[in-house]
Amino acid sequence: MSKLEQNQIRYAVACVSEFAQSKGLSKVQAFLYLFEHKALEFLNEFYDVEHTLSFEDAVSDMTLVCQKNGGKIQ
């Protein structure tokens, strides 16, 4: 596994945790929600930009991606 892949995984784990905390979900619930509504795919695809932003911005972006893909959490 490359260093980039390791960093992407660590970043995704941190984002799931931040999303869970901000939305009052367990980490498992957050992961399943973000996976189902394509936010994890988004984080992977746009890692180069997203990891330079604050976690608050990342949570906001993930929320928008989920909403665009049928998610109801605000």
Side-chain angles (χ1 to χ4, degrees), residues 2-71:
S2 74
K3 184 71 170 169
L4 175 61
E5 290 169 326
Q6 291 174 9
N7 288 342
Q8 287 174 308
I9 291 168
R10 286 186 186 112
Y11 179 70
V13 169
C15 285
V16 169
S17 180
E18 290 290 328
F19 187 88
Q21 185 177 13
S22 74
K23 306 298 183 183
L25 303 170
S26 73
K27 291 176 187 173
V28 171
Q29 289 172 318
F31 173 83
L32 293 172
Y33 179 82
L34 294 170
F35 180 80
E36 179 180 349
H37 298 289
K38 309 215 183 298
L40 295 179
E41 187 178 314
F42 166 82
L43 283 180
N44 187 51
E45 185 175 347
F46 296 102
Y47 170 79
D48 58 335
V49 174
E50 285 294 314
H51 85 278
T52 66
L53 305 174
S54 69
F55 282 119
E56 184 178 287
D57 287 340
V59 167
S60 177
D61 291 346
M62 290 186 293
T63 301
L64 291 173
V65 169
C66 288
Q67 288 172 345
K68 288 182 181 179
N69 289 292

